[in-house]
Amino acid sequence: MQSTHLLLEEPIRMASILEPSKRSFFPAMTKIVGTLGPRSRSVGVISGCITAGMCVARFDFSWGDAEFHQETVENLKVAVKSTKKLCAVMLDTVGPELQVLNRSEHPISLQVDSLVVLTPNQDKEATSNLLPLNFGGLSKAVKKGDTIFIGQYLFTGSETTSVWLEVTEVDGEDVVCLIKNSATLAGSLYTLHVSQIRIDLPTLTDKDKEVISTWGVQNKIDFLSLSYTRHAEDVRHAREFLSKLGDLNQTQIFAKIENIEGLNHFDEILQEADGIILSRGNLGIDLPPEKVFLFQKAAVYKCNMAGKPAVITRVVDSMTDNLRPTRAEATDVANAVLDGSDAILLGAETLRGLYPVETISTVNKICAEAEKVFNQDFYFKKAVKHVGEPMTHLESIASSAVRAAISVKASVIVCFTSTGKAARLIGKYRPTMPVISVVIPRLKTNQLRWTFSGAFEARQSVIVRGIFPMLADPRHPAESTNATNESILKVALDHGKAFGVIKSHDRIVVCQKVGDASVVKIIELED
Ligand SMILES: Nc1ncnc2c1ncn2[C@@H]1O[C@H](COP(=O)(O)OP(=O)(O)O)[C@@H](O)[C@H]1O
Ligand SMILES: C=C(OP(=O)(O)O)C(=O)O
Ligand SMILES: [K+]
Ligand SMILES: [Mg+2]
């Protein structure tokens, strides 16, 4: 791994841009979440996705039934075994999403300046004049002049398959709209979004609750992506619901911010949530286009300072049908990294795209290049200043480990952890080298049976930028004596060597507890 980083603030030799980058076994420090669906559900494709850098698989229940997703998750488990890489599972809720169903799946062509009626009568077929909706309250929520957007599920913003409407009249339960652009809606499911209004549906719907307590429990989901989080209370409510579902009391909640209501309550939501998904697809419809970047920069910064992962969606839409991203998309991915994002979430690109594996590998390469010019020094100072003094011991240990690793040009930081907290905190200071987080299992009981902790903790930290977890052998005693620490460290170093990230004579920073003392030590490897 390269430790002398380019900095954009320093003059770059133009020719250096063309120098090919060294391939390292470790993927980029920025993580990739892939939405699995029709084009990415065989063991072969999922294995390809994982090898290319996907470390979280998203199962979106806006689309497909539990049985379909179960087959996919079974294949994921096989792929994880065969690639020997961790991949976390994320369940994405439907929430108060408005959907238009097109059961016949015939394309629906809509003509500019014509009228179309939105009706809650779901017995009706979808046609060019009538679109049935899964929600009865639309006519009460909108008024003449409101803007409505309808796009294919995981729409890519393309004007030929999505349509903008203007409400002209409310007629009982129906809403009559003027079509603002000609479009042909394709597929069986469309998302409908009304700009800047409140939809009076719960954030966690009954259907979501049922899916979580069956499919979610069965598959021990690592993350819940809480769609349309609008208030901190939404997160508290979801947390309470999960707490009663056995192992899911450990599931982390990522609040998905997808409308203005969520944006307005961002600070409180961030306090309650374990991480944030900046759902630029829907948010990009709710916000004027010229404001999206501002939200992104402000929200990512707040997540960074809170030490909570920030995930960005909708980055390379055009790769759904193309092998290469547009220039704007490629630059956008790099900017997401420079802004400080932890992870990139791919939607249509992996779900129904022609090139799921190539998309992941392209995004991974762009992230790796951007990380090289990330101004770590500037970022580090901001993070330290934001914490202020006095720091907690752990915060001080974590920031010192990162500072030491950079000063001695360490190739990796090895961090011992049981809850994952110490490693995450190191990740917060955005080290320029990977962090091997060695998760030490602990024996725990629920009064009925004894189990080892660690699996959730390891999988959940994969979403943090720069953290590469490995689960230590549970046969190692958990108490941190010098002898046990040494033998576990040896395993971690062998792991790093096998992946080519650690070489002979490298310096390594190790963060661990010996007895009661937290220590940061620098070791220099021999042959
Ligand atoms: N099982 C362990 N063995 C050795 N050191 C550990 C272990 N668990 C945590 N540490 C180290 O102890 C220090 C304090 O971490 P702490 O917050 O107690 O653990 P955690 O990350 O599991 O929440 C950190 O330096 C961390 O690297
Ligand atoms: C990822 C997004 O949402 P969904 O889960 O609806 O695809 C988004 O809006 O960007
Ligand atoms: K969803
Ligand atoms: Mg969305």
Side-chain angles (χ1 to χ4, degrees):
M1 162 104 357
Q2 195 159 347
S3 51
T4 42
H5 277 234
L6 285 165
L7 272 190
L8 289 177
E9 288 72 10
E10 293 162 7
I12 279 192
R13 216 168 31 88
M14 280 302 169
S16 74
I17 293 174
L18 302 175
E19 283 161 17
S21 301
K22 275 190 236 129
R23 279 301 288 155
S24 102
F25 177 86
F26 263 68
M29 307 270 256
T30 309
K31 304 309 181 72
I32 299 178
V33 182
T35 307
L36 299 189
R39 288 280 184 171
S40 48
R41 61 193 305 259
S42 67
V43 174
V45 174
I46 301 176
S47 303
C49 290
I50 295 178
T51 308
M54 176 181 83
C55 60
V56 180
R58 177 175 84 130
F59 294 84
D60 188 0
F61 279 80
S62 284
W63 188 93
D65 56 29
E67 207 181 315
F68 180 90
H69 289 306
Q70 191 57 37
E71 274 174 36
T72 313
V73 82
E74 295 299 340
N75 289 344
L76 170 68
K77 287 174 196 163
V78 177
V80 163
K81 278 217 176 81
S82 71
T83 56
K84 297 196 180 68
K85 291 191 168 153
L86 290 177
C87 184
V89 172
M90 176 182 276
L91 188 162
D92 197 297
T93 59
V94 185
E97 179 169 77
L98 304 188
Q99 299 180 332
V100 173
L101 276 176
N102 175 21
R103 267 177 258 114
S104 75
E105 297 194 21
H106 295 312
I108 298 172
S109 75
L110 300 170
Q111 276 306 317
V112 61
D113 294 333
S114 313
L115 295 178
V116 64
V117 176
L118 306 175
T119 178
N121 184 349
Q122 289 201 280
D123 297 334
K124 293 270 165 47
E125 279 287 318
T127 66
S128 303
N129 314 315
L130 189 71
L131 297 171
L133 184 71
N134 67 342
F135 176 54
L138 189 68
S139 62
K140 288 200 190 68
V142 298
K143 56 180 189 319
K144 190 170 182 308
D146 278 352
T147 301
I148 295 182
F149 171 90
I150 301 180
Q152 182 179 5
Y153 165 64
L154 285 174
F155 50 85
T156 61
S158 153
E159 286 299 272
T160 57
T161 59
S162 357
V163 71
W164 292 90
L165 310 171
E166 185 187 313
V167 176
T168 56
E169 191 192 335
V170 173
D171 178 11
E173 290 208 299
D174 291 350
V175 176
V176 185
C177 300
L178 179 69
I179 299 170
K180 305 294 280 187
N181 65 284
S182 295
T184 303
L185 301 176
S188 59
L189 181 70
Y190 317 123
T191 304
L192 183 148
H193 191 93
V194 190
S195 292
Q196 308 190 9
I197 66 155
R198 181 176 169 85
I199 297 299
D200 198 11
L201 285 173
T203 302
L204 203 56
T205 62
D206 289 343
K207 189 198 156 198
D208 290 325
K209 287 183 177 169
E210 197 210 307
V211 163
I212 295 168
S213 49
T214 52
W215 194 92
V217 170
Q218 189 181 343
N219 297 297
K220 298 191 178 172
I221 51 168
D222 300 297
F223 300 110
L224 181 74
S225 159
L226 191 61
S227 294
Y228 297 90
T229 302
R230 295 166 289 186
H231 295 271
E233 187 52 35
D234 295 340
V235 183
R236 286 193 284 268
H237 177 237
R239 181 98 58 205
E240 198 192 312
F241 180 71
L242 290 172
S243 73
K244 299 186 189 118
L245 298 175
D247 285 335
L248 299 204
N249 63 1
Q250 292 175 76
T251 299
Q252 290 195 339
I253 301 175
F254 275 51
K256 222 155 135 213
I257 307 298
E258 1 199 16
N259 59 20
I260 299 225
E261 223 179 324
L263 175 147
N264 278 331
H265 300 111
F266 187 85
D267 292 353
E268 303 114 79
I269 292 172
L270 177 60
Q271 273 189 15
E272 289 295 328
D274 299 301
I276 297 284
I277 299 175
L278 284 80
S279 210
R280 301 193 308 178
N282 291 322
L283 197 66
I285 298 172
D286 229 23
L287 278 179
E290 66 274 21
K291 296 287 187 185
V292 176
F293 82 97
L294 259 184
F295 170 70
Q296 173 169 323
K297 288 186 190 277
V300 171
Y301 174 75
K302 283 171 189 273
C303 291
N304 288 168
M305 293 305 116
K308 295 188 179 181
V311 183
I312 288 194
T313 73
R314 306 299 169 107
V315 292
V316 285
D317 280 350
S318 80
M319 286 196 80
T320 308
D321 306 307
N322 296 287
L323 201 46
R324 281 171 156 249
T326 66
R327 286 82 178 146
E329 287 170 335
T331 306
D332 178 50
V333 173
N335 279 324
V337 173
L338 297 178
D339 286 347
S341 312
D342 286 81
I344 300 284
L345 187 153
L346 300 172
E349 304 96 320
T350 49
L351 178 115
R352 64 160 181 267
L354 301 180
Y355 308 104
V357 177
E358 293 85 346
T359 304
I360 294 171
S361 129
T362 302
V363 169
N364 187 59
K365 277 191 224 153
I366 300 170
C367 291
E369 289 294 323
E371 286 155 12
K372 286 193 215 157
V373 295
F374 180 71
N375 193 337
Q376 201 281 337
D377 189 48
F378 180 63
Y379 175 93
F380 185 91
K381 287 185 182 129
K382 275 194 303 190
V384 169
K385 190 163 167 227
H386 187 267
V387 172
E389 282 176 359
M391 275 187 179
T392 63
H393 289 194
L394 199 55
E395 195 98 40
S396 164
I397 295 277
S399 53
S400 307
V402 174
R403 198 195 300 268
I406 290 171
S407 313
V408 304
K409 296 195 178 354
S411 53
V412 295
I413 299 174
V414 175
C415 176
F416 285 55
T417 180
S418 292
T419 66
K421 194 169 131 211
R424 281 166 185 281
L425 214 46
I426 291 177
K428 175 183 165 186
Y429 290 92
R430 294 288 188 253
T432 48
M433 63 293 293
V435 180
I436 299 182
S437 161
V438 186
V439 182
I440 316 284
R442 274 196 299 218
L443 200 54
K444 57 171 192 173
T445 178
N446 62 1
Q447 257 105 53
L448 290 173
R449 61 193 173 109
W450 288 88
T451 46
F452 282 107
S453 73
F456 266 101
E457 291 81 352
R459 283 194 307 264
Q460 286 171 336
S461 54
V462 296
I463 205 162
V464 182
R465 176 151 151 190
I467 306 292
F468 297 88
M470 58 172 280
L471 197 52
D473 189 333
R475 283 168 302 183
H476 277 292
E479 65 276 12
S480 46
T481 65
N482 242 336
T484 55
N485 277 347
E486 283 311 309
S487 65
I488 295 173
L489 180 60
K490 186 172 178 315
V491 177
L493 295 179
D494 287 345
H495 176 77
K497 280 182 196 154
F499 290 151
V501 71
I502 301 177
K503 303 180 303 308
S504 313
H505 308 294
D506 272 1
R507 278 169 295 260
I508 317 283
V509 166
V510 183
C511 217
Q512 64 187 172
K513 201 150 53 189
V514 183
D516 282 340
S518 296
V519 296
V520 176
K521 64 180 187 188
I522 302 167
I523 55 175
E524 188 146 353
L525 299 183
E526 294 166 2
D527 302 318

